[in-house]
Amino acid sequence: MTPLRLGYLYGFVAYLLWGFFPLYLRLMRPAGPLEILAHRIVWSVVFVALLLAAMRNVGFLRALLRRPRALAGIGVAAALIAVNWGTYIYGVTSDRVVETALGYFINPLVVVLLGVTVLRERLRPTQWVALGIGGLAVAVLTVDYGRLPYLALVLAFSFAGYGLAKKQLGLPAAEGLFVESAVLALPALAYVGWLAAAGEGTFGQVSVGHTLLLVSAGAATAIPLLLFAGAANRLPLTGLGMIQYLAPILQLGCGVLIFHEPMPPARIAGFALVWAALIVFTVDAVRNSRRTRAATLAARRAEAVAAPR
């Protein structure tokens, strides 16, 4: 199998797992959102630590401890992913899967917005059009819900901010997830211990299957991230961008078709505007990528012609 096809396979499986993640989270009931989050953090540390030990790749920690700015960045990334995970778990367990899917639909637009506001990037006119349509979609959905779709916005901004922090840190997927989870592990363990002491925890109290589901949260968190990293290393950005919509499409399907969440006409209109914005955004990204590739190829040919023989 070629690296490109392997990249698409990794990406497809990663987004497929993320897309059906609401089904997995629902199985964890009667555990509450904070308990699920705490176990997800703790068992992620355990799973990735075992993986790194098997790979004999633990020396990176010594080098990382000598980089205080990187440690501060890891703290920011850890806080953002904790907010993202906690919000998503709360949304799924409180029967708002459709709104969580909206968050990941608008995430690419928020990434562009952060590029303008944080990195001072200049947008192309078509990107401004996509952002404008996205803003109109949020307005329509606000009218429909009778409030801002705050779950979706928190998910979109926290994940976009996490991606920005990760890009600046430049850590590999397994190492990054281990350190971020380790930062959160102590408060997560303390919360699990408090639940157990108060007799309010469900770990080991409901059934063997329920306990195994909580333990497997570490693998369920790490495996899609590692697959995504493998895809990102093999695919062009446009290819990765095209398949990223698979997860929210599947999440939306879970919310509407399996959990039977309502989709009134105004909500459908809001989602239609989001999809229109994403189409504009994606078409612009593909065209710009092709122009950049063509310009690079032309420059290389010109250099080859001009080189002395």
Side-chain angles (χ1 to χ4, degrees):
M1 185 177 292
T2 65
L4 186 65
R5 289 185 178 180
L6 190 61
Y8 276 111
L9 177 62
Y10 285 160
F12 180 79
V13 175
Y15 283 110
L16 193 69
L17 292 172
W18 279 327
F20 287 114
F21 205 62
L23 302 179
Y24 174 75
L25 290 176
R26 286 292 186 92
L27 292 175
M28 292 187 181
R29 290 175 170 176
L34 284 178
E35 184 179 6
I36 296 172
L37 174 62
H39 280 284
R40 187 175 185 181
I41 291 167
V42 170
W43 295 112
S44 292
V45 174
V46 174
F47 180 83
V48 181
L50 292 174
L51 181 64
L52 291 173
M55 296 166 58
R56 298 182 179 179
N57 185 18
V58 294
F60 78 96
L61 284 172
R62 288 191 296 272
L64 189 61
L65 290 173
R66 294 193 292 267
R67 298 168 55 195
R69 291 186 64 182
L71 291 174
I74 288 168
V76 172
L80 287 169
I81 199 60
V83 169
N84 183 268
W85 287 354
T87 303
Y88 183 73
I89 293 168
Y90 171 75
V92 171
T93 56
S94 60
D95 302 320
R96 294 161 71 177
V97 176
V98 169
E99 192 173 346
T100 64
L102 173 65
Y104 290 107
F105 274 125
I106 65 176
N107 177 69
L109 302 176
V110 174
V111 170
V112 173
L113 185 62
L114 285 183
V116 176
T117 57
V118 178
L119 302 179
R120 304 298 180 185
E121 295 177 353
R122 296 183 63 182
L123 296 190
R124 296 181 294 275
T126 313
Q127 290 176 312
W128 281 113
V129 170
L131 282 178
I133 298 173
L136 179 61
V138 170
V140 170
L141 289 165
T142 298
V143 173
D144 171 61
Y145 282 112
R147 54 169 174 78
L148 273 173
Y150 63 89
L151 278 184
L153 293 174
V154 170
L155 285 172
F157 276 93
S158 61
F159 198 67
Y162 174 71
L164 179 61
K166 291 282 284 185
K167 181 179 179 180
Q168 294 176 335
L169 287 169
L171 287 176
E175 288 84 343
L177 178 61
F178 173 77
V179 179
E180 292 154 12
S181 300
V183 169
L184 303 167
L186 282 179
L189 274 171
Y191 182 70
V192 170
W194 177 81
L195 285 177
E200 297 181 7
T202 63
F203 185 79
Q205 302 299 317
V206 177
S207 66
V208 173
H210 179 266
T211 300
L212 290 175
L213 281 171
L214 290 173
V215 171
S216 65
T221 298
I223 290 172
L225 282 172
L226 296 174
L227 288 169
F228 173 78
N233 290 335
R234 291 169 174 84
L235 293 180
L237 190 59
T238 50
L240 198 62
M242 292 294 288
I243 62 173
Q244 72 176 324
Y245 304 124
L246 175 63
I249 288 172
L250 292 173
Q251 291 165 6
L252 178 63
C254 287
V256 175
L257 302 177
I258 298 177
F259 302 137
H260 306 293
E261 294 185 15
M263 279 292 284
R267 197 163 305 170
I268 294 173
F271 269 84
L273 285 169
V274 171
W275 295 328
L278 291 176
I279 290 170
V280 172
F281 174 77
T282 304
V283 169
D284 175 75
V286 171
R287 287 179 176 175
N288 185 65
S289 177
R290 288 176 178 173
R291 284 196 297 265
T292 303
R293 195 180 303 118
T296 301
L297 185 59
R300 288 177 180 173
R301 286 175 177 171
E303 288 176 1
V305 171
R309 298 180 183 275

